[in-house]
Amino acid sequence: MSTGANASLFHGAPGLEFVLSRAGQDTRSVRDATDRVVRARLGAAQEQGRSGVLPTPAQFDLIRGLTGLGAVLLTRETTSPLLPQILAYLVRLAWPVDFTGHEVPGWWSSTGPCDEEMPGGHANLGVAHGVAGPLALLSLAARRGYQVPGQMVAIEVMTGWLEQYRGGYWITLGNLSSGPEDTEAPSSRPSWCYGELGLLRSRHLACFALGDSIRAAAVEAAAVDVLTDSRRLRLVTDASLCHGWAGLLTVARSMASDSLAPDEFARPISDIQSRLAHAIDQLDKPGFLEGRAGAQLTLDGHDTTGWTRALLIN
């Protein structure tokens, strides 16, 4: 049971806690192991912040970082004293910082999601590796009564970035100089991990945390447009949760469950479910995010264990 540098929501002690807790079988020893991971990561992140070093996606993101660890703590039946510390760290990412004379978002990083160097740096926007993940966690925590100073302002700030640069994978210095109107959105899959639908769900959750029903309705309309746009749907090439039909279906169901007009999602959900059923046999991986396990969970249509909370969509 790893508590080392690779421990995360999807690996090692935190991943084990999440899985066992879905079955009501987590133990004190597993929770303690997760807490050791969280304390170590928080300490490293706080020290790095004090030294003025930019964060890396692996430090704060959902897949490998503190957002994913926060997702585990948020599922606990009793409040963890470490959760507010994670929320406070994520709030600080909303405040601008200086990078080579440029004012950039606080989650600006010189490395990419695979630890590759990115000259000039970037601000990742995705759910899996970017700010949409922290935004979702801050919003879900607020809806469940967990708030730290600055949290609601941070939710508004992060939402603003996603609204300005919607459709892109990340923001570069060039984007900041030219403005969002000159940002070319890549022709990408409308996936959970980086695509438009995943980002819309994070914005949707933020709207509810902020009590903004007007923006929530606009986000829902945009989501229905994505789910019914044949041009964008043609870009989906597999059945996986991460970037395929299962991810679209899971997000669509979550949005419908919160929607002010849930009937608008009924036909798109039925269509995506049919596409998933047709494509699932072509998946050759066994795993959760990119394989048959996650796709089959989605196709079964049940979330009695709360397994979808690993995606920070509810």
Side-chain angles (χ1 to χ4, degrees), residues 235-251:
L235 300 173
V236 181
T237 58
D238 70 41
S240 71
L241 270 175
C242 187
H243 43 256
W245 298 117
L248 267 65
L249 180 56
T250 306
V251 174

Side-chain angles (χ1 to χ4, degrees), residues 13 38 69 74 119 190 214 223 242-243 246:
V38 175
L69 296 175
L74 191 60
I214 294 176
C242 187
H243 43 256

Side-chain angles (χ1 to χ4, degrees), residues 121-187:
H122 78 304
N124 198 300
L125 299 175
V127 176
H129 296 293
V131 75
L135 174 60
L137 180 64
L138 290 170
S139 300
L140 286 166
R143 291 183 76 183
R144 293 179 181 134
Y146 299 106
Q147 286 195 40
V148 297
Q151 185 168 335
M152 304 312 292
V153 177
I155 289 172
E156 187 68 69
V157 169
M158 291 174 176
T159 300
W161 283 109
L162 292 183
E163 288 175 341
Q164 288 184 71
Y165 292 91
R166 56 185 178 272
Y169 284 162
W170 46 66
I171 306 166
T172 65
L173 289 178
N175 298 144
L176 292 177
S177 298
S178 61
E181 65 275 5
D182 293 326
T183 302
E184 290 188 14
S187 179

Side-chain angles (χ1 to χ4, degrees), residues 13-38:
L16 181 61
E17 178 183 337
F18 183 84
V19 171
L20 291 177
S21 67
R22 297 310 86 209
Q25 299 295 320
D26 60 317
T27 64
R28 176 66 179 271
S29 63
V30 174
R31 291 193 297 273
D32 287 347
T34 297
D35 288 348
R36 289 196 296 274
V37 173
V38 175

Side-chain angles (χ1 to χ4, degrees), residues 125-128 130-137 139-140 155 159 162 192 196-209 219 251 255 311-313:
L125 299 175
V127 176
V131 75
L135 174 60
L137 180 64
S139 300
L140 286 166
I155 289 172
T159 300
L162 292 183
W192 163 77
E196 192 172 359
L197 195 65
L199 272 61
L200 284 169
R201 179 53 173 166
S202 290
R203 288 170 54 195
H204 198 220
L205 293 169
C207 290
F208 290 115
V219 168
V251 174
M255 294 191 76
L311 305 177
L312 277 184
I313 56 176

Side-chain angles (χ1 to χ4, degrees), residues 10 192 236-251 253 272-303 307-308 311:
F10 297 102
W192 163 77
V236 181
T237 58
D238 70 41
S240 71
L241 270 175
C242 187
H243 43 256
W245 298 117
L248 267 65
L249 180 56
T250 306
V251 174
R253 285 171 174 162
I272 300 300
Q273 184 168 332
S274 296
R275 293 172 186 261
L276 171 59
H278 179 75
I280 191 170
D281 288 339
Q282 299 170 31
L283 281 176
D284 56 6
K285 295 181 179 180
F288 176 68
L289 284 178
E290 296 186 336
R292 288 183 62 92
Q296 190 62 57
L297 281 168
T298 305
L299 192 59
D300 289 345
H302 304 296
D303 189 26
W307 66 266
T308 60
L311 305 177

